[in-house]
Amino acid sequence: MTFLLIPLNNLRRRPLRTWFTVTGISAAIGLFVVVMGMSNGVERAYVGALEERGTHVIAVRKGVIDILSGSIDEKQENALKSFPGIVAVSPELIDWVILNSGHTVVVVGWPMESFLWESLVVQEGSSPPDSSTNGVIVGQRIAQALGLDVGGELTLHGDKSRVTGISRPGGVIRSSAVVLPLDRLQRLTDRPGKVTAFNLRIADPKNKMDVATTIDRLNAAFPDLSFMQTGMVAKKNHMMQILRSFSWATSLVAVFIGALIMLNTLLMSVSERTREIGILSALGWKPTRILSMIFSEGLLLVLAALVGGILLGILGLYFFAHSPRTGGFVEARITMLTLLQVVGAGLLIGGFGCFYPAWRAIQLHPGEALRHE
């Protein structure tokens, strides 16, 4: 009998307990995958939406927790356009809307002359000619979900809009977005002359030093605004930081629960095999070998739970990515970083859950263990 068969047989002795232990730890790991995957997925979707439109630098109101809650005077566009190193500026108004169908969509308003319209690839129909037509462009994903075609109607803020075009799928957010002229969205949201952000294009975006210098000068020249590179928006967004903190807190609770399940199972296993451990010690087994046996048992449980937990997590991410309320904001993709975090969580569960039972096993005196009934 090889050494690894011993812990494997120990787990087979109590199949029901082993099954519930693996299921419990799998649920904890699956929750870890879902929470961290959603947090990372929201960030990727948010940054991807900005990169798709060719925005190099974004300007938002300084000091706001949520970018969508900040309002900026649209008149600052002229000052930004004349700033050295800036080649194009486009204001943007963003709103989140829950449609009558229950789907949550991002509604975006751009000026008709904005360069942002160039980033939309309209596969059916065309862009709205002006705001008087009440026209909108919808992403293919939301169009399919609502059964919309060119010429169809969509109600936004109680006002009926006509679908003039359907854009080709891009990132998650763009595929579920509704785009319309800025002045019309300002009227619908009762925010005349206000925008959420300014999209800036700079002369040499590949020159990191030049980009950093331009951003520093912009921050100094416009103290009421905060300028940041597209790739840093998610990291500096306070709402994203709060989401990230909640994700880590929830994940740590899941890891702690998984470790407690592991601790309980192995502690019961050691207690039931007190006499057996005493016999092994009397036969000459060293404490390190007994430790290895207990930790091997925990490792087998963790490996099985990792497989089950990752599968559960992928199913959970798939569910949220296709849910009407969250599907337009989550990019359901498991990255290598997420996998490494999951493996780290599994090792943490195994290490914490095995330590005390293994320590208790090597503390057993052979003579007292042999007298145990």
Side-chain angles (χ1 to χ4, degrees), residues 54-59 86 198-202 211 214-215 218 226-230 233:
T55 299
H56 303 146
V57 176
I58 188 168
I86 303 300
F198 286 104
N199 293 265
L200 282 65
R201 285 181 174 177
I202 61 178
V211 172
T214 302
I215 289 176
L218 284 167
S226 178
F227 297 84
M228 62 197 84
Q229 277 186 273
T230 300
V233 172

Side-chain angles (χ1 to χ4, degrees), residues 105-119:
V105 298
V106 177
V107 182
V108 182
W110 298 332
M112 292 306 302
E113 68 278 6
S114 170
F115 65 82
L116 296 175
W117 291 98
E118 301 171 2
S119 64

Side-chain angles (χ1 to χ4, degrees), residues 27-271:
I29 292 175
L31 178 61
F32 185 97
V33 174
V34 170
V35 172
M36 296 306 298
M38 286 191 65
S39 176
N40 296 333
V42 170
E43 290 188 24
R44 286 194 303 270
Y46 190 44
V47 173
L50 294 175
E51 291 177 341
E52 282 178 338
R53 62 180 63 173
T55 299
H56 303 146
V57 176
I58 188 168
V60 299
R61 187 173 184 84
K62 193 171 185 177
V64 296
I65 295 179
D66 181 13
I67 290 177
L68 297 183
S69 66
S71 291
I72 308 173
D73 194 333
E74 187 180 357
K75 294 179 180 179
Q76 295 199 59
E77 178 185 1
N78 293 329
L80 288 169
K81 282 182 176 179
S82 61
F83 198 84
I86 303 300
V87 297
V89 177
S90 175
E92 177 181 31
L93 183 60
I94 308 173
D95 192 25
W96 279 0
V97 175
I98 299 179
L99 303 177
N100 295 333
S101 62
H103 291 81
T104 303
V105 298
V106 177
V107 182
V108 182
W110 298 332
M112 292 306 302
E113 68 278 6
S114 170
F115 65 82
L116 296 175
W117 291 98
E118 301 171 2
S119 64
L120 278 181
V121 180
V122 182
Q123 64 179 16
E124 296 181 40
S126 61
S127 300
D130 52 57
S131 58
S132 62
T133 60
N134 291 348
V136 297
I137 292 180
V138 298
Q140 188 186 62
R141 174 173 178 161
I142 196 66
Q144 290 177 344
L146 299 178
L148 291 173
D149 295 314
V150 175
E153 287 189 346
L154 179 67
T155 302
L156 297 173
H157 293 291
D159 191 67
K160 289 186 177 181
S161 301
R162 185 173 63 87
V163 178
T164 62
I166 297 175
S167 62
R168 192 170 64 190
V172 173
I173 293 180
R174 174 162 293 192
S175 297
S176 301
V178 178
V179 186
L180 64 158
L182 174 62
D183 56 348
R184 180 161 179 258
L185 183 57
Q186 288 173 332
R187 291 196 302 270
L188 291 177
T189 56
D190 197 22
R191 297 171 71 181
K194 299 297 182 181
V195 297
T196 305
F198 286 104
N199 293 265
L200 282 65
R201 285 181 174 177
I202 61 178
D204 188 8
K206 294 182 179 180
N207 189 330
K208 294 182 179 180
M209 185 66 69
D210 184 51
V211 172
T213 302
T214 302
I215 289 176
D216 289 340
R217 289 192 291 111
L218 284 167
N219 282 318
F222 300 88
D224 59 329
L225 299 180
S226 178
F227 297 84
M228 62 197 84
Q229 277 186 273
T230 300
M232 298 300 294
V233 172
K235 295 184 182 299
K236 293 186 177 181
N237 188 326
H238 291 290
M239 285 301 294
M240 292 291 181
Q241 293 174 359
I242 293 172
L243 174 62
R244 204 177 299 121
S245 299
F246 275 121
S247 298
W248 275 109
T250 305
S251 299
L252 289 176
V253 170
V255 169
F256 181 70
I257 292 174
L260 287 182
I261 295 173
M262 173 78 77
L263 174 64
N264 179 68
T265 296
L266 293 183
L267 202 55
M268 290 177 64
S269 178
V270 169
S271 178

Side-chain angles (χ1 to χ4, degrees), residues 327-338:
F329 308 98
V330 180
E331 184 179 321
R333 180 162 55 92
I334 302 294
T335 63
M336 184 57 66
L337 176 60
T338 304

